[in-house]
Amino acid sequence: MPDKGWDQVLGWAFRDRHQGQRPTAVSALEITVDTAYLGRGLSYRMPAALRDAARRQGHEALPAPVRPTAKHLEPRVSMTDYVRRRGDDGLPADPWLRVHVKAGGTIRRIAPASMTVSGSLDQWRRWTGLPFDRDGDTDVPGALVPVHSDTARDRAVYVEPSVWVRHRTG
């Protein structure tokens, strides 16, 4: 469960495939449910389907770099502090982490640099509609953490953390 989460898993998969190596591990990457299908129990069925697929392939565990769904509402709160929050029932306060834990997953650790997106300030302006005209951190709607801008280098970088959740397949 690497610090670079999502990005590292993809990198390893592409390298192994290019080198003709047989996979020895599996990882979930993303589950997305179209808003038209929300409220139908798919959020609970999807992790189960991934676990079943991993088990059929002979894997004992399914690690997943999970993107907490409500974290974007508090981009300046550290992921560590955010993940520590619990509801009255002791389960994670975040809805998506809650689903994973209720489905049998265990929160293992934070991947502080799970996904990195770097672009010119003009690219970030087009992507977000925000000015990106000063140095420092900018809150972007939907982003889990602020995007860091450097006007002298004409770059802005988003380094998104995730939460490694481990599911047993058996």
Side-chain angles (χ1 to χ4, degrees):
M1 295 184 207
D3 284 350
K4 290 186 178 179
W6 207 89
D7 283 350
Q8 186 67 60
V9 167
L10 281 174
W12 286 337
F14 282 114
R15 182 201 65 208
D16 289 352
R17 184 172 177 94
H18 179 72
Q19 294 176 353
Q21 295 181 9
R22 187 169 185 267
T24 59
V26 65
S27 174
L29 286 180
E30 180 176 357
I31 295 173
T32 302
V33 178
D34 187 286
T35 55
Y37 294 93
L38 292 177
R40 298 182 186 186
L42 291 176
S43 62
Y44 288 95
R45 293 191 345 225
M46 295 306 293
L50 287 172
R51 279 193 319 273
D52 290 346
R55 184 183 62 250
R56 284 193 308 273
Q57 293 173 24
H59 301 285
E60 293 179 8
L62 173 68
V66 175
R67 185 181 198 270
T69 55
K71 171 68 173 81
H72 70 98
L73 300 172
E74 301 179 79
R76 304 260 175 176
V77 171
S78 76
M79 185 64 87
T80 299
D81 290 342
Y82 183 81
V83 169
R84 286 185 183 136
R85 294 181 183 165
R86 297 286 185 255
D88 292 338
D89 56 5
L91 291 170
D94 181 82
W96 193 222
L97 288 175
R98 185 179 194 81
V99 166
H100 278 271
V101 170
K102 285 175 82 174
T106 56
I107 294 173
R108 299 311 278 264
R109 64 187 295 265
I110 305 297
S114 191
M115 179 178 63
T116 301
V117 179
S118 179
S120 70
L121 298 178
D122 189 51
Q123 286 175 310
W124 278 97
R125 289 178 192 115
R126 285 193 317 268
W127 296 336
T128 66
L130 298 173
F132 282 95
D133 57 358
R134 62 178 178 76
D135 289 333
D137 292 339
T138 301
D139 292 340
V140 173
L144 303 190
V145 296
V147 175
H148 185 76
S149 300
D150 182 337
T151 56
R153 290 189 172 94
D154 187 37
R155 287 314 282 158
V157 179
Y158 175 64
V159 181
E160 181 173 284
S162 66
V163 181
W164 278 110
V165 177
R166 184 178 188 269
H167 290 271
R168 296 207 46 78
T169 61

